[in-house]
Amino acid sequence: KLREAREQGRSMFDDVLKQASASTGLSDGMREASIATRSVLRGAGKMAKEGIDRTRVAVEETVEDLVEGPRHRRARQSWGARGATEPEEAAHELWSTFFDRMWECVDISLADGWITKSDLSEPFFLLGMPSTAVASVALASRGSLGILFRASPKLLVNPPDFGGAPSVKKMLEQVEEVKIAMDAARITDDEATFLRKAALLASSRSCDPSPSVGPARLAKLNQILSGIQRVAISITQESFYKDNSEAIIAEMEVRE
């Protein structure tokens, strides 16, 4: 039922887009599509609560939260502060926090002029959005024993101690490798900015570090950047990410 509802939402989304291009205009059409998708996903959440197992319920609640947008998401307690949690709840929170980080990174990138709103529909953004979030998480985690997903309330996860979904544990281990490489390279503030921007643009346009960065140092930064993109590519292949990223991008495109 959940899958059928999701497909119905996507179908309604496509239909409204077609109508929009013919009459109401893209912006209004996207708003109608977002509303239609939101309504269907809420319905899917109700079905989940009536008979789908606890893991499905947790995933569906995340879909509802993401459609509403992170600014309206209910406050969540820190996974670490709650102590031992169910594996699906731990994975649920980490995914939700990662999506929040993507929103923040995109907001900062738009404010800094790295991208424009029209770029949100460009192919490079599909990889750039998770890549810049991975870079941001890894940079924030430098010097920490684990991955710092959120500063307040603190959400620090040590990959070896994580007992949730194997796919999420793999993501944590990959981000940890990037963080270790950053720590070893002693990334400066300017280089951190370069990595976040280059990750976002995903080779779609020129992005150069400071002129003071020599060839050897640039090679090291590009090596770290490749690691960031490998993690992002792996994330985009996860079913949870695929199911929710479309709703996030659509919400970004229609918001003011």
Side-chain angles (χ1 to χ4, degrees), residues 22-191:
S23 57
T24 60
L26 181 60
S27 179
D28 290 340
M30 289 294 289
R31 286 191 178 88
E32 293 176 22
S34 179
I35 292 170
T37 304
R38 194 174 300 157
S39 175
V40 171
L41 290 173
R42 286 198 190 102
K46 292 181 181 179
M47 289 188 291
K49 291 180 177 66
E50 294 173 355
I52 304 176
D53 60 47
R54 188 174 181 179
T55 301
R56 278 288 189 87
V57 171
V59 171
E60 183 53 29
E61 286 175 350
T62 300
V63 175
E64 294 173 357
D65 287 343
L66 291 169
V67 170
E68 291 296 333
R71 297 295 178 266
H72 304 288
R73 186 170 304 169
R74 64 184 182 277
R76 303 184 188 278
Q77 293 180 322
S78 166
W79 172 65
R82 287 204 306 262
T85 56
E86 294 293 335
E88 67 271 16
E89 291 179 353
H92 171 230
E93 179 166 20
L94 289 182
W95 273 120
S96 297
T97 306
F98 182 76
F99 280 122
D100 278 344
R101 182 61 69 95
M102 286 199 301
W103 272 86
E104 293 169 3
C105 289
V106 171
D107 281 342
I108 292 172
S109 300
L110 288 167
D112 289 347
W114 294 356
I115 56 173
T116 64
K117 202 166 183 180
S118 63
D119 287 325
L120 303 184
S121 59
E122 292 296 324
F124 81 85
F125 188 69
L126 298 176
L127 176 60
M129 180 173 66
S131 291
T132 194
V134 168
S136 178
V137 170
L139 287 164
S141 303
R142 288 175 295 169
S144 300
L145 181 61
I147 306 302
L148 184 63
F149 273 84
R150 185 177 58 222
S152 180
K154 190 174 185 179
L155 180 56
L156 179 66
V157 184
N158 190 21
D161 299 334
F162 182 75
S167 60
V168 178
K169 186 178 181 69
K170 177 183 177 182
M171 176 184 71
L172 291 172
E173 292 171 343
Q174 291 175 324
V175 176
E176 177 79 2
E177 291 177 1
V178 173
K179 182 201 76 174
I180 291 173
M182 289 177 171
D183 277 334
R186 298 183 180 275
I187 300 298
T188 67
D189 289 345
D190 286 343
E191 291 170 344

